Amino acid sequence: MKKLYITTPIYYVNDKPHIGHAYTTVAADVLARYYKALGREVFFLTGTDEHGAKIAEAAKAAGKEPKAFVDSLAPQFQKAWENLNIEYDQFFRTTNPEHEKVVQEFVAKLKERGYIEKRKYEGLYCIGCERFVQKNELIDGKCPDHNTEPEIHSEENYFFLLKRAAEDFGLLNIIEKDELIVAPEGRKNEVIGKIKQGLDDVSISRAGVTWGIPFPGDDTQTVYVWVDALINYWSATKIYKNPPEWPTDLHLMAKDILWFHAIIWPAMLLALGLPLPKKVFAHGFFTVGGKKMSKTVGNVLDPNDLVKKFGTDAVRYALLREFPFGEDGDISEEKIAERYNKDLANGLGNLVNRTISMMNKYQIKLEIRNSKLEANPNVQIKKIQKNIEELRFYEALGGIGNIINGLNVYIDKEKPWELAKSDSEKLSEVLLSVHMSLSSLVLLLAPFMPESAEKMKNQLETLKPEPLFPRIED
Ligand code: ME8
């Protein structure tokens, strides 16, 4: 079977990583780990987007040359992913010289096939978004995402003939028929609606930006950073020793960049006669403490700080348990702390601890029983697996939470401490069935909380209890 090829966006290195980047990356890691545990080979790609005006400006503001600047930032992403226990297969950097070659070849082929044309263009450009914006997207003359006024850019550029490519290859039909799955359903409908409104061709070179890959055949221009960035997914199949096989199975991202992944990228691939990604999934955008994350507001959450406070697994868990993956939501340190105490310390941690402690106290030996287990969660497990496979992480964790609560209630109902006085047979059965259910939960928890699941497994095997998630006071 083909290696499952999963990607996150490659993040801009104009600043250090924040919790928004962590969100997508953790989700991708959960999926990758889930499939690996099932024995499937997986290639999980993440990385950094290092060219373009936005990065050049940030470098200038930091008083550094762009290359030195990106070289200092890319490792910060790698470090953050290490702290979050992200098991990616390759970390892609767009300044990799081998990638530059692939991009030039890719663009040159688009030109050869007649999908690139030189045109004069004037428009409003938002550097924060790294794209031309339309007047009707602005609020009080400013980009709503970046709260800055776009600049007027007037230059001769090379254009990718998006409209022609989409029409020639029937992109609309491809998306409607799920030959390229755009998910969730609501996003698919948005994309279809936008295609039906009509597509504009895309300027794919920049005359004024020197920090980029020289445009093939015209080194007065550089390749538009978004084109350079999207090609990373293809490039990865060319430049590594143990490469994944094209096409990608899943591109994960937030809704902010779905347009690039669901329209522009597939259209470029179609124009080159390359197979399309199987699925593009756009999750929601979250605010922090009710506000859009921004330096000015001062609510940008650093994943490293959160890991220090709550531990790797609690951060991974809390991110995906706060609101459904496809929807917008809100997150904050307080919410993570609450989740931690409620679900992890009082819920899971307490359940594991009390079960093992009672097994020790009442000297219950570990043995496999054929008895009908009242607390057997098999049916729920199937449902949870399906939820993970369909990227419903929130619901999957909700299902796990229900099993945990169910087991706690089961113990309270059966009262092992009373059975110990009257019915030792039943006592063993109750505790062993909880123990067995917990053992099967380990497999489901492992993709979300790899370290804790491992600890839990060891404790269940050795019957040596230790608090998994000590309560956080304050
Ligand atoms: O767009 N909520 O990079 P970027 C949820 N370099 N997810 C969030 C988020 C939030 N508040 N903020 C950021 C780029 N993200 C390009 C991508 S790919 C070929 C090039 C996550 O650093 C989410 O995955 O702006 C979003 O799509 C991505 O970070 C944008 O990262």
Side-chain angles (χ1 to χ4, degrees), residues 17-296:
H18 58 62
I19 198 70
H21 303 133
Y23 186 56
T24 321
T25 312
V26 166
D29 190 59
V30 168
L31 264 189
R33 285 176 182 271
Y34 172 82
Y35 281 108
K36 278 183 205 166
L38 289 181
R40 181 92 192 255
E41 267 196 285
V42 178
F43 192 93
F44 166 17
L45 184 73
T46 188
T48 40
D49 190 353
E50 307 191 351
H51 289 127
K54 182 176 170 128
I55 308 293
E57 278 198 355
K60 199 168 160 201
K64 285 191 178 168
E65 284 301 315
K67 183 65 169 69
F69 180 70
V70 299
D71 283 348
S72 71
L73 272 155
Q76 295 197 38
F77 281 78
Q78 288 164 320
K79 185 74 202 154
W81 302 159
E82 194 186 314
N83 286 339
L84 279 166
N85 206 352
I86 305 293
E87 252 180 18
Y88 55 77
D89 291 281
Q90 279 293 340
F91 189 89
F92 197 102
R93 297 187 55 189
T94 53
T95 48
N96 180 338
E98 292 192 65
H99 169 64
E100 303 197 6
K101 265 187 269 159
V102 177
V103 169
Q104 289 182 323
E105 277 168 24
F106 192 102
V107 174
K109 271 204 196 116
L110 278 178
K111 210 156 134 195
E112 250 171 61
R113 294 196 169 215
Y115 287 97
I116 290 182
E117 214 173 85
K118 202 173 187 183
R119 287 182 196 162
K120 178 127 183 90
Y121 191 73
E122 186 173 283
L124 294 169
Y125 196 82
C126 170
I127 293 193
C129 296
E130 280 284 20
R131 65 178 178 91
F132 283 99
V133 290
Q134 301 298 324
K135 268 214 180 105
N136 63 12
E137 293 178 58
L138 306 178
I139 293 173
D140 296 332
K142 289 181 175 170
C143 161
D145 283 346
H146 297 93
N147 203 27
T148 49
E149 281 180 25
E151 297 171 359
I152 295 178
H153 278 204
S154 164
E155 49 186 60
E156 215 173 16
N157 288 148
Y158 293 92
F159 275 73
F160 168 55
L161 305 186
L162 175 63
K163 196 175 162 62
R164 185 193 292 174
E167 277 168 12
D168 285 355
F169 299 98
L171 182 58
L172 178 61
N173 194 34
I174 288 174
I175 294 175
E176 278 176 335
K177 282 200 178 143
D178 287 336
E179 284 165 30
L180 160 64
I181 300 171
V182 178
E185 189 75 16
R187 299 274 168 234
K188 171 182 164 183
N189 294 333
E190 273 172 33
V191 165
I192 288 175
K194 271 197 177 176
I195 301 180
K196 285 184 174 164
Q197 273 174 26
L199 295 172
D200 292 323
D201 294 336
V202 194
S203 153
I204 61 157
S205 72
R206 295 288 179 272
V209 179
T210 51
W211 179 238
I213 299 176
F215 200 83
D218 183 350
D219 44 17
T220 66
Q221 306 237 353
T222 53
V223 175
Y224 174 37
V225 61
W226 258 106
V227 171
D228 167 354
L230 288 165
I231 296 173
N232 95 86
Y233 305 129
W234 165 252
S235 211
T237 68
K238 303 275 158 210
I239 66 182
Y240 298 123
K241 263 205 205 108
N242 212 342
E245 200 184 308
W246 189 259
T248 40
D249 292 277
L250 175 69
H251 288 309
L252 260 185
M253 76 221 63
K255 60 181 186 177
D256 56 337
I257 57 177
L258 177 62
W259 186 248
F260 288 97
H261 286 83
I263 304 291
I264 299 178
W265 179 227
M268 293 199 303
L269 292 166
L270 287 170
L272 290 192
L274 292 171
L276 295 186
K278 297 264 183 322
K279 184 171 180 174
V280 171
F281 188 102
H283 62 69
F285 231 63
F286 57 75
T287 46
V288 173
K291 295 205 175 88
K292 198 178 140 65
M293 240 191 307
S294 95
K295 270 192 172 173
T296 353

